[in-house]
Amino acid sequence: MLNQVEVSFENVRELLDMSQHKLVVFAFWSERSEPSKQLLLTLSAISQDHPQHLVLAKVNCDLDQELAMQFGVRSLPTTMFIQNGQPVDGFAGAETDAQIRQRLQPYLPAPEELLIQQIQPLLENQQWTEAFPLLKQAQQLAPARADICKLLALCAASLGQLEQAKTLLSTVLLADQDSLYQQVQSVIELAEQAADSPEIRALEAKLAATPDDLLLKQQLAVQYQQVQRSEDALALLFSILQQDLNFGDSKKLFLDILAVLPKGDALAGTYRRKLYSLLY
């Protein structure tokens, strides 16, 4: 493993230098100590979850007793957390996976921060569909964070989920209504203007006059989807499928819209279940 290192006198200084940028966990163990071998397996598994921010430094005390003595190790197993070249935490004896993860929390980025690191390049490239499920996950991890809420609202608005974006913005307190908040509001306003085009209004008027015209419904659904009014488009297409499951391109259009909605989007789940109820 790239973030797991066997420690020796030759590389211990390099590991201490590395602790300026990452948390280095020194695990002192011995083949003759069954608890230390089991603890090493636990630490190894935990370190695999944090490849960018944690290094597991394994000290085999059967081979390097003097190194263990220089660190002041008196019993096995012993675990030390080193940050900025200094011990910041540690424990003697064995601890459970959950106990160790709790100890690590103050020294590692929060899970939502790791997600935001993944999300930022997606937002910069306007990859809204890919960013949306990650932002939803980040919000579930940290529901009180206004910055995540605003980014999720931006993503939702950019995907045409205007009501969801408005709901998210409504929870943002006055103190957090910054330039990002204003940007999301602008995206919503522009999307609402685009979503009410003359073509759409004309089709809506025709459909109001002949509400049973399935072809008009399909044409209006296409117009709705072009301006990202996915919910309105799905509702119209579903009403067509309820009357005629094989009418025109309605089923294909319906499935195409579901396919482009972000992973984990509640709207997609709702209309998949509706279609399933029709088919089966």
Side-chain angles (χ1 to χ4, degrees):
M1 299 296 175
L2 293 177
N3 67 327
Q4 298 187 24
V5 180
E6 301 289 343
V7 184
S8 66
F9 276 103
E10 287 72 28
N11 66 3
V12 66
R13 172 50 57 189
E14 180 183 347
L15 287 164
L16 290 173
D17 291 341
M18 195 180 294
S19 74
Q20 301 292 331
H21 312 288
K22 300 181 179 184
L23 179 69
V24 180
V25 176
F26 278 81
F28 297 87
W29 70 288
S30 166
E31 286 283 357
R32 294 173 292 175
S33 167
E34 191 61 32
S36 71
K37 286 164 45 176
Q38 292 301 317
L39 178 62
L40 192 64
L41 289 174
T42 302
L43 290 168
S44 178
I46 292 172
S47 71
Q48 291 176 41
D49 293 339
H50 304 277
Q52 304 299 320
H53 303 96
L54 183 153
V55 174
L56 177 60
K58 298 181 281 189
V59 184
N60 186 337
C61 295
D62 296 331
L63 303 176
D64 283 305
Q65 291 184 10
E66 188 177 343
L67 187 59
M69 290 174 59
Q70 287 194 7
F71 275 85
V73 173
R74 297 181 179 179
S75 63
L76 297 178
T78 290
T79 306
M80 292 184 184
F81 298 175
I82 307 293
Q83 202 167 57
N84 298 319
Q86 299 295 325
V88 291
D89 201 351
F91 57 93
E95 289 196 356
T96 66
D97 181 283
Q99 289 173 318
I100 297 168
R101 289 181 187 275
Q102 187 172 4
R103 280 187 183 273
L104 286 169
Q105 281 183 4
Y107 311 107
L108 295 174
E112 63 271 17
E113 286 296 336
L114 297 176
L115 281 170
I116 289 172
Q117 289 175 20
Q118 296 179 54
I119 291 163
Q120 287 296 346
L122 298 175
L123 296 177
E124 289 168 8
N125 292 307
Q126 298 186 1
Q127 293 175 262
W128 311 117
T129 302
E130 293 81 0
F132 185 87
L134 296 176
L135 279 166
K136 288 280 285 186
Q137 190 178 346
Q139 188 198 34
Q140 289 167 359
L141 289 168
R145 283 189 53 171
D147 58 335
I148 295 175
C149 180
K150 287 178 287 188
L151 288 173
L152 181 57
L154 174 62
C155 199
S158 300
L159 287 166
Q161 308 286 348
L162 303 185
E163 292 306 315
Q164 183 175 355
K166 289 178 184 179
T167 300
L168 287 163
L169 279 194
S170 70
T171 66
V172 177
L173 300 176
L174 185 62
D176 296 309
Q177 293 179 12
D178 56 6
S179 59
L180 176 57
Y181 178 91
Q182 300 301 328
Q183 180 186 353
V184 180
Q185 281 198 321
S186 297
V187 171
I188 292 171
E189 289 170 6
L190 289 171
E192 286 180 331
Q193 292 170 15
D196 193 26
S197 67
E199 293 81 7
I200 286 175
R201 288 199 298 272
L203 284 171
E204 287 173 338
K206 287 181 182 179
L207 186 58
T210 55
D212 296 324
D213 189 326
L214 299 188
L215 183 58
L216 268 179
K217 284 187 177 183
Q218 182 176 286
Q219 291 171 344
L220 181 55
V222 170
Q223 290 293 320
Y224 280 155
Q225 183 55 20
Q226 286 179 353
V227 294
Q228 295 187 316
R229 291 174 63 176
S230 299
E231 186 167 6
D232 292 328
L234 286 169
L236 270 181
L237 291 169
F238 184 72
S239 72
I240 295 171
L241 297 176
Q242 283 179 305
Q243 295 179 63
D244 183 349
L245 196 57
N246 297 305
F247 180 83
D249 293 327
S250 293
K251 189 193 297 183
K252 180 181 183 302
L253 290 167
F254 188 92
L255 293 171
D256 286 346
I257 294 171
L258 291 180
V260 299
L261 287 173
K263 183 180 179 182
D265 187 275
L267 184 64
T270 297
Y271 275 95
R272 281 196 183 94
R273 289 190 294 272
K274 285 177 178 286
L275 180 60
Y276 185 86
S277 69
L278 278 184
L279 296 174
Y280 306 103

